[in-house]
């Protein structure tokens, strides 16, 4: 079993804070400490359960299931993330499952895990949710799940298996529901992990719908986070997750809102522009398999509707924008309608993640000049044998040889000192090297 990651984190606060507009009542005696629960119900894979109930808990509390990464544990995810401190602030309860098999990864690949009530880890996690519901007067309309890496994959699985239970999920560094499926007893799917499994939105959606045949009720909302330089669960999975959940929820794959909550973070919303959109994607440029970052747990809680946040005003929404990280982005355009030359130079960072016959790239263009770039084209020559199959945050043509990457509708401007990122997936015949030179709007760039 591969080691996916260990999260770094600080100790969480245990002080309780009353939240305006939320009625808080005293919780049971063993509050504000992480407590292990045994005998919580059907548990076919012998998962462990840890529970965090804050000192002050809402009268009808929400529940957040927080699922750890491979090699991790519930207590490690408790101490290494901000969910418990946010529970102190907003009065919800957190369940921390722990996988116990070799490598401490969750089962997101077996046929049993990928259908409702089929057995394996999802059944054990559902028993934990039922246990808490029966004892803490939980609001059944506010049950959520989040997780990182293996936990991000489990988030996708639980939303597919139990759409009638979970109202929303937030997956860090995950893969689409069914992407990791295997039938040979293996729990690792290299085709999926390397970002080579590409399906149509309809095909991805059908996998989710097949997990609970005949279900016609509402589906949970989905939020996904991914770093562009992730080499463990490759970045193309981000776009595939967005394709899957926009299809499941019946909304357009073209976002209605795009912004940058922090430098190098691109957030896109699908179906509505508000904080609680049907689908939200957060792409983090230049970051690998190391999420969540500081502040991202709070973004999850806002997406779940547990922090009392407000939606952006309609004027802040930008229609007809292509999804950050969605394969084969199109509609090249610049804000001014014409490209400008960077006065003072440009820099290009170009990273390759290769496997047997394929590769993905992460490309960052930095405007090192003193004037803004309005509309850009990046020219370069691919090594012999490399052929582009899909791209995100840019259009790339032709597919081989001397190619040009052009901005899409939402990232044509690069201010002085600013940068923008894009990437593509390609096949290769052995040469996985990077191009020797780049030009931005005809001007030579420094390769860094």
């Amino acid at each position: 079993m591969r080691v996916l990651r260990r999260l770094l984190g600080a100790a969480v606060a245990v002080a309780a804070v009353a939240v305006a507009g939320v009625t808080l009542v005293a919780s049971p005696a063993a509050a504000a400490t992480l407590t292990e629960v045994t005998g919580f119900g059907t548990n076919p894979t012998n998962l462990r359960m840890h529970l965090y109930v804050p000192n002050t808990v809402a009268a009808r509390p929400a529940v957040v299931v927080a699922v750890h990464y491979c090699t991790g544990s519930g207590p490690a995810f408790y101490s290494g993330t901000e969910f418990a401190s946010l529970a102190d602030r907003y009065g919800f309860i957190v369940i921390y499952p722990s996988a116990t098999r070799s490598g401490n990864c969750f089962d997101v690949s077996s046929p049993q895990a990928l259908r409702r009530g089929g057995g394996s880890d999802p059944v054990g996690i559902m028993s934990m949710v039922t246990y808490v519901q029966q004892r803490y007067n939980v609001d059944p309309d506010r049950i959520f799940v989040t997780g990182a890496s293996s936990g991000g994959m489990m988030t996708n699985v639980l939303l597919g298996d139990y759409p009638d239970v979970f109202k929303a999920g937030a997956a860090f560094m995950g893969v689409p529901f069914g992407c990791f499926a295997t039938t040979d007893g293996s729990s690792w799917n290299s085709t999926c992990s390397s970002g080579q499994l590409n399906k149509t939105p309809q095909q991805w959606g059908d996998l989710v719908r097949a997990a609970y045949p005949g279900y016609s009720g509402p589906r949970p909302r989905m939020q996904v986070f991914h770093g562009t330089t992730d080499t463990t669960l490759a970045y193309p999975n981000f776009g595939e997750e967005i394709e899957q959940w926009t299809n499941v929820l019946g909304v357009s794959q073209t976002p209605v809102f795009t912004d940058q909550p922090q430098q190098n973070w691109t957030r896109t919303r699908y179906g509505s522009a508000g904080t609680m959109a049907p689908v939200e994607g957060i792409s983090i440029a230049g970051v690998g398999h190391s999420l969540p970052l500081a502040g991202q747990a709070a973004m999850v809680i806002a997406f779940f509707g547990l922090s009392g946040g407000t939606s952006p005003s309609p004027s802040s929404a930008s229609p007809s924008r292509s999804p950050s990280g969605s394969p084969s982005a199109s509609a090249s355009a610049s804000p001014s309608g014409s490209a400008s030359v960077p006065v003072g130079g440009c820099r290009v960072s170009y990273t390759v993640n290769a496997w047997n016959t394929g590769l993905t790239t992460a490309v960052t263009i930095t405007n090192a000049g003193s004037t803004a770039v309005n509309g850009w084209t990046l020219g370069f020559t691919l090594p012999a044998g490399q052929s582009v199959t899909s791209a995100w945050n840019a259009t790339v043509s032709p597919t081989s040889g001397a190619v040009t990457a052009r901005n899409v509708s939402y990232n044509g401007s690069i201010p002085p000192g600013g940068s923008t990122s894009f990437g593509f997936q390609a096949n290769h015949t052995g040469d996985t090297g990077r191009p020797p030179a780049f030009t931005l709007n005809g001007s030579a760039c420094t390769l860094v």
Side-chain angles (χ1 to χ4, degrees), residues 129-150:
V129 172
T130 301
Y131 175 94
V132 173
Q133 284 182 290
Q134 292 172 345
R135 288 161 177 79
Y136 291 94
N137 194 33
V138 165
D139 183 347
D141 291 325
R142 295 197 301 159
I143 298 174
F144 308 95
V145 59
T146 185
S149 196
S150 180

Side-chain angles (χ1 to χ4, degrees), residues 21 87 101 107 112 133 142 158 179 183 190 209 255 269 289 433:
R101 63 175 52 83
D107 177 14
Q112 292 76 24
Q133 284 182 290
R142 295 197 301 159
L158 288 171
C179 184
T183 56
S190 295
R209 288 181 283 268
R269 289 174 177 156
H289 203 69

Side-chain angles (χ1 to χ4, degrees), residues 310-366:
T310 57
S311 301
S313 64
S315 63
S316 66
S318 302
S320 301
R321 290 178 172 174
S322 299
S324 171
S326 179
S328 301
S330 58
S332 174
S334 68
S336 63
S338 61
S340 57
V341 176
V343 178
C346 52
R347 297 190 300 272
V348 173
S349 168
Y350 188 99
T351 302
V352 178
N353 173 36
W355 57 90
N356 296 341
T357 60
L359 60 85
T360 57
T361 67
V363 186
T364 299
I365 306 168
T366 300

